[in-house]
Amino acid sequence: MVEQQRARRPGGRSARVRAAVHQAVTDLVAERGYGSFTVGDVAARAGVADTSVYRRWGTLETLLMDVAITRLTTASPVPDTGSLEQDLRVYAAGVVRDVAGPDGMAALRLVIALATAGEDGVKARDAFLAERGRQLQGMLDRARERGEQPPEVLDILDHLLAPVYVRGLFGVGPLTPAYADTLVDRLLALRREP
Amino acid sequence: MVEQQRARRPGGRSARVRAAVHQAVTDLVAERGYGSFTVGDVAARAGVADTSVYRRWGTLETLLMDVAITRLTTASPVPDTGSLEQDLRVYAAGVVRDVAGPDGMAALRLVIALATAGEDGVKARDAFLAERGRQLQGMLDRARERGEQPPEVLDILDHLLAPVYVRGLFGVGPLTPAYADTLVDRLLALRREP
């Protein structure tokens, strides 16, 4: 709570530390890849004490996921266009664009790798997925309030995110805007089933 | 070609070497995980010369994928029940069962890891996916010959394999026989779209 209040003051020391640490992680991931640096490396690069990092994030895994969710939320916010279909089309196009790019695959690989990074890794991964799930649920709730019949979050995972992710991971099939639209068409058709 | 002819004689030396090397890989994966052993380790464990392994498989990546595709083809063959719907239900149930178990995830993680294992890794991965794709295409071709209207292999990837894989990788949602059946229902419904 205190952290959140601090984060709202963009000029505060807490916000400056957060920005410096996030930038250090982004740089280290680009230079060395995941799994090749420690909390100490991040702190040194950010010019802060190790204890500042441990106090705020607890573990490297939590820090990595904080950076990933911040990046995803900023670079690919869940849309709010006023119509479910348009929201889904904008969202799907963004997911395809992200996964076709190098950063999107890095974030996806991180989420996958965390499953084998012990209890802290699984916790950090689950927090990331829960936060993104909440953002998507908000989009679907807004549609329901407008009287539309949205799919479930799990349907979006199964039939929109999963196909794009697996095509990206396997290097199979095209990842184009037309493909994104096809997936949205199919997702919307699910609602029309008996 | 010569290798294939040799492999058809189950009692031949070539087949014995192949079986010993496959078993060595399976043991080493179980003991150390992927990425923690070399061709030399495999050869030593199998009691054969390093050169025997290099001559037949070329690289460790190719060997790993040969073991994975052999295991998958043996443990989870593509079904041939005489009906598309039944084939898909048996296949989907098997995929869900495999991914819910520890071996299935190991094979999936290997396929994903190979994308970052250089050119040999990508080649081995693509050979694996192409072989499994051919097996699935055979199932769909048999359906078409019977006058049924099967989906495309990519539809199976997008709407049957991808959701199961991503749920497994993310640790999200149930992986049950009922879920497998729902995915098949949706896959078959795709064909009824205009």
Side-chain angles (χ1 to χ4, degrees):
Chain A
M1 256 321 194
V2 173
E3 289 296 342
Q4 282 183 2
Q5 285 172 357
R6 276 183 195 155
R8 279 192 213 108
R9 293 181 299 142
R13 177 177 146 66
S14 179
R16 284 199 305 275
V17 167
R18 184 167 188 273
V21 168
H22 273 225
Q23 189 59 51
V25 168
T26 303
D27 292 347
L28 286 166
V29 167
E31 286 168 24
R32 306 190 197 171
Y34 290 110
S36 305
F37 55 88
T38 63
V39 165
D41 295 331
V42 174
R45 173 72 68 110
V48 304
D50 288 18
T51 47
S52 297
V53 177
Y54 283 117
R55 198 166 47 230
R56 180 179 287 212
W57 286 281
T59 67
L60 182 62
E61 286 75 21
T62 308
L63 170 58
L64 292 177
M65 291 307 340
D66 184 33
V67 172
I69 191 74
T70 302
R71 192 178 167 73
L72 189 62
T73 306
T74 311
S76 304
V78 168
D80 184 8
T81 65
S83 119
L84 173 66
E85 178 172 344
Q86 197 54 27
D87 278 358
L88 287 172
R89 293 205 186 281
V90 171
Y91 177 66
V95 170
V96 165
R97 196 178 52 236
D98 285 350
V99 168
D103 281 357
M105 287 306 284
L108 179 55
R109 285 177 179 282
L110 171 62
V111 171
I112 292 170
L114 283 176
T116 55
E119 206 181 315
D120 287 334
V122 170
K123 254 201 249 172
R125 178 197 70 180
D126 290 348
F128 175 94
L129 295 174
E131 171 55 28
R132 197 58 171 171
R134 269 191 295 274
Q135 296 175 6
L136 284 172
Q137 188 62 57
M139 180 177 90
L140 302 178
D141 288 345
R142 290 192 292 276
R144 192 169 286 110
E145 282 159 21
R146 289 189 300 263
E148 300 187 85
Q149 289 182 15
E152 307 287 331
V153 170
L154 266 182
D155 293 330
I156 293 182
L157 181 70
D158 283 344
H159 297 292
L160 199 160
L161 294 173
V164 176
Y165 289 167
V166 167
R167 283 190 176 208
L169 289 169
F170 286 10
V172 165
L175 285 173
T176 59
Y179 174 62
D181 271 327
T182 299
L183 291 176
V184 172
D185 292 341
R186 291 176 172 186
L187 187 60
L188 290 169
L190 284 185
R191 296 290 89 186
R192 294 194 294 270
E193 283 171 23
Chain B
M1 255 325 192
V2 173
E3 288 297 344
Q4 283 183 3
Q5 286 172 355
R6 276 185 196 156
R8 279 192 215 108
R9 293 182 298 141
R13 176 176 148 68
S14 179
R16 284 198 305 273
V17 168
R18 184 166 188 274
V21 168
H22 273 224
Q23 188 59 50
V25 168
T26 303
D27 292 347
L28 286 166
V29 167
E31 286 168 24
R32 307 190 196 171
Y34 289 110
S36 307
F37 56 89
T38 64
V39 165
D41 295 331
V42 173
R45 172 72 67 112
V48 304
D50 289 17
T51 47
S52 298
V53 177
Y54 282 117
R55 197 166 49 232
R56 180 178 288 213
W57 286 280
T59 66
L60 181 61
E61 287 75 21
T62 310
L63 171 58
L64 293 177
M65 292 306 340
D66 184 32
V67 173
I69 192 74
T70 302
R71 193 178 165 73
L72 189 63
T73 307
T74 312
S76 304
V78 168
D80 184 9
T81 65
S83 120
L84 173 65
E85 178 172 344
Q86 197 54 27
D87 278 357
L88 287 172
R89 294 204 186 281
V90 171
Y91 178 66
V95 170
V96 165
R97 196 179 50 235
D98 286 350
V99 169
D103 281 356
M105 288 305 285
L108 179 56
R109 285 179 179 281
L110 172 61
V111 171
I112 292 170
L114 282 175
T116 55
E119 207 181 312
D120 287 335
V122 171
K123 254 201 253 173
R125 177 197 70 180
D126 290 349
F128 175 93
L129 295 174
E131 171 56 28
R132 196 58 171 173
R134 269 191 296 274
Q135 296 175 5
L136 284 172
Q137 189 62 58
M139 180 177 88
L140 302 178
D141 288 345
R142 290 192 292 276
R144 191 169 286 109
E145 282 159 21
R146 289 189 300 262
E148 302 187 84
Q149 290 183 15
E152 306 288 329
V153 170
L154 267 182
D155 294 330
I156 293 182
L157 182 69
D158 283 345
H159 298 292
L160 199 159
L161 294 173
V164 176
Y165 289 167
V166 167
R167 283 189 176 207
L169 289 169
F170 286 10
V172 166
L175 285 172
T176 59
Y179 173 63
D181 271 327
T182 298
L183 290 176
V184 172
D185 292 342
R186 291 176 171 185
L187 187 61
L188 290 169
L190 284 185
R191 297 290 91 186
R192 294 195 292 271
E193 283 170 23

